[in-house]
Amino acid sequence: MNRPSMRFSIDFDVAIAGGGLIGATLAAVLLKGSGLRVVLIEQQEPPRYAPQAEYEALRVLAITRASEQIFRSLGAWRYIEAGRLGYFREMQVWDAGGPGAIHFDSADLGEPTLGYIIENRLLQSALETVLQDPSIAWYRPAGIAALTWQNHHVQLQLEDGRRLRAKLVVGADGAESQIRELAGIAEIWARDYQQTALVCAVETERPHGEIARQRFLETGPLAFLPLADPHHCSIVWSTTPMEAQGLLALYDEAFRLRLETAFASALGNIVAVGPRAAFPLLRTHAEHYIKPRLALIGDAAHRIHPLAGQGANLGILDAASLAEVVIAARASGRDIGSLRVLRQYERWRKGENLAMMLAMDLFKDLFGSRLGPVRWARNVGLQITDATGPVKRWIMRRAMGLEGDLPRLAIQGRR
């Protein structure tokens, strides 16, 4: 890829800080016929995808049908489906503290799947292949030390002294965004859930049958997400920080038995467990997604509870939406970095993201309550919802990204 080395200022239309999944998606959409000069600035070399390697639990993502369509539109999906592509046709959710349960089936919508479980390395590799184009410049590994706003551009000073100028800077550099900090944008509406998510890959006695399963325990949900191999799942066990530390400290055999019990042996014995990792669960939301000549996307703008696996997908939709706004502005001769243009993106995505965050908080609080009346109500609610076809179908369509104010790339070519 293009690796400029000069130390004087180089001009670009869009500079993207962060070349991971969300930043690379934005670059790929902008590459798709916009004629914009784009540079990606990334601190790390890309992860290597090896189909025979062990699953990395922290690097497995749930991908919606809307995200799939965006990747198809970019030409990346053919590389994704050539790798280890896990998918789920059904989803089963039940409460360990009562009879409440709900079952979702893609066949009820006439769709082949509800979504996918894919390694981040595979997604990144597919996007890197699409981005093999001379119009995309890469600075990697590289970090940004300073931003200086001028009349018609922003100057970026890299940590090694190189300088770039861009009409628009995009922060796609994750939850600890350096761009958000340099721009002076505060995080508000933050919440510490007082939970930790423990993740690992496991091998099960019985095949997962392309079904995603989630059991709500007193301390939080335990999800088994089907991987490409029929006997392998990625688990996300949300629990108290104290219990998570205890689970991390267990020997594999003891952890295997604890996991079997917690999941009520829904897939038989747990045959083997992979390396475990854990991370705290937080919700944050940037006070603003934009300022003149700057925009935030993905985790740089918002973090969400992983309850429904929507985090990465919200970022992908951010990327496609921002690109749509920027490409339209360029086509009409407007300044792509102006507040007037960027406010369209902020109004569009901030409301959609906030609605999803509120929904996840509602589910988290409802299923996290130990109060008897609340437990009774949620079990009854699950049973009623499961028996109400229109409501179930709406929930499925919303979770799959088939409903809502979506960017064009997410709906193009949809049957």
Side-chain angles (χ1 to χ4, degrees):
M1 287 188 181
N2 198 8
R3 294 176 181 268
S5 61
M6 52 284 281
R7 292 183 178 274
F8 52 84
S9 294
I10 304 174
D11 290 331
F12 294 96
D13 293 303
V14 182
I16 303 170
L21 174 63
I22 307 306
T25 297
L26 174 61
V29 181
L30 292 174
L31 176 64
K32 189 179 169 62
S34 72
L36 291 164
R37 296 163 297 169
V38 178
V39 60
L40 282 147
I41 305 159
E42 169 57 43
Q43 291 191 339
Q44 300 177 352
E45 292 295 332
R48 295 185 178 276
Y49 174 66
Q52 304 308 316
E54 290 186 5
Y55 287 106
E56 287 186 294
L58 271 174
R59 293 297 184 178
V60 176
L61 300 173
I63 296 298
T64 64
R65 299 299 306 281
S67 294
E68 172 202 351
Q69 187 55 48
I70 290 171
F71 292 138
R72 284 188 183 277
S73 300
L74 298 176
W77 192 255
R78 56 179 172 165
Y79 304 112
I80 295 170
E81 62 185 355
R84 292 193 296 197
L85 179 64
Y87 56 91
F88 53 103
R89 302 180 189 277
E90 301 174 49
M91 185 170 186
Q92 295 174 355
V93 178
W94 70 100
D95 192 334
I102 191 167
H103 173 241
F104 300 103
D105 191 334
S106 60
D108 293 339
L109 297 178
E111 295 285 342
T113 66
L114 291 173
Y116 302 87
I117 308 297
I118 311 176
E119 295 160 89
N120 184 61
R121 293 178 298 186
L122 174 56
L123 295 167
Q124 187 74 32
S125 175
L127 288 168
E128 295 265 344
T129 302
V130 170
L131 291 173
Q132 294 280 350
D133 189 282
S135 66
I136 299 289
W138 282 88
Y139 285 73
R140 183 174 60 188
I144 297 170
L147 300 176
T148 304
W149 274 260
Q150 299 179 1
N151 287 337
H152 302 293
H153 64 268
V154 177
Q155 180 171 284
L156 302 87
Q157 182 173 327
L158 305 188
E159 291 173 349
D160 62 6
R162 288 177 292 181
R163 292 177 296 168
L164 314 174
R165 295 190 304 186
K167 296 176 182 177
L168 172 63
V169 175
V170 180
D173 50 345
E176 305 301 324
S177 172
Q178 175 76 353
I179 294 298
R180 187 183 64 236
E181 183 176 336
L182 290 172
I185 297 175
E187 285 188 303
I188 61 169
W189 206 58
R191 179 180 179 184
D192 184 343
Y193 290 109
Q194 298 297 311
Q195 279 192 317
T196 296
L198 183 146
V199 294
C200 75
V202 302
E203 182 180 352
T204 59
E205 178 186 15
R206 295 203 292 267
H208 53 59
E210 298 156 1
I211 301 172
R213 296 170 171 87
Q214 191 166 53
R215 187 180 194 221
F216 281 91
L217 308 172
E218 279 196 358
T219 53
L222 170 59
F224 273 58
L225 308 174
L227 296 171
D229 184 282
H231 287 272
H232 281 82
C233 293
S234 175
I235 72 155
V236 183
W237 191 344
S238 300
T239 184
T240 64
M242 184 176 294
E243 183 179 23
Q245 286 302 312
L247 293 171
L248 284 172
L250 292 175
Y251 289 110
D252 284 357
E253 178 64 13
F255 175 72
R256 184 184 66 76
L257 293 174
R258 283 283 296 276
L259 183 59
E260 275 183 21
T261 301
F263 202 54
S265 300
L267 289 173
N269 295 330
I270 305 297
V271 177
V273 297
R276 281 158 271 163
F279 56 92
L281 297 182
L282 307 169
R283 178 199 66 206
T284 60
H285 205 207
E287 182 178 15
H288 305 290
Y289 284 17
I290 63 164
K291 65 180 296 183
R293 306 204 172 281
L294 183 139
L296 303 176
I297 61 176
D299 283 358
H302 46 78
R303 282 182 285 182
I304 188 172
H305 196 289
L307 182 62
Q310 292 292 323
N313 298 287
L314 294 180
I316 292 166
L317 291 174
D318 287 348
S321 301
L322 176 60
E324 186 174 315
V325 168
V326 167
I327 291 170
R330 176 183 172 84
S332 61
R334 290 176 290 161
D335 182 353
I336 64 171
S338 71
L339 272 180
R340 191 170 187 177
V341 167
L342 297 178
R343 279 197 182 108
Q344 297 175 49
Y345 158 71
E346 183 177 55
R347 287 195 299 266
W348 185 357
R349 290 304 304 159
K350 202 169 188 179
E352 289 284 310
N353 291 333
L354 186 58
M356 184 61 73
M357 294 170 87
L358 288 170
M360 291 306 99
D361 273 14
L362 177 63
F363 282 118
K364 191 271 176 192
D365 292 339
L366 178 63
F367 283 94
S369 176
R370 300 184 184 185
L371 295 174
V374 177
R375 294 174 63 173
W376 175 83
R378 75 185 180 222
N379 276 274
V380 172
L382 281 172
Q383 293 173 313
I384 292 174
T385 303
D386 191 50
T388 309
V391 174
K392 257 196 359 178
R393 287 192 289 273
W394 182 86
I395 292 173
M396 282 191 286
R397 289 186 62 83
R398 187 73 185 187
M400 293 163 66
L402 303 180
E403 295 281 354
D405 192 359
L406 300 167
R408 290 192 185 96
L409 281 188
I411 57 179
Q412 284 180 356
R414 184 177 293 165
R415 293 177 301 153

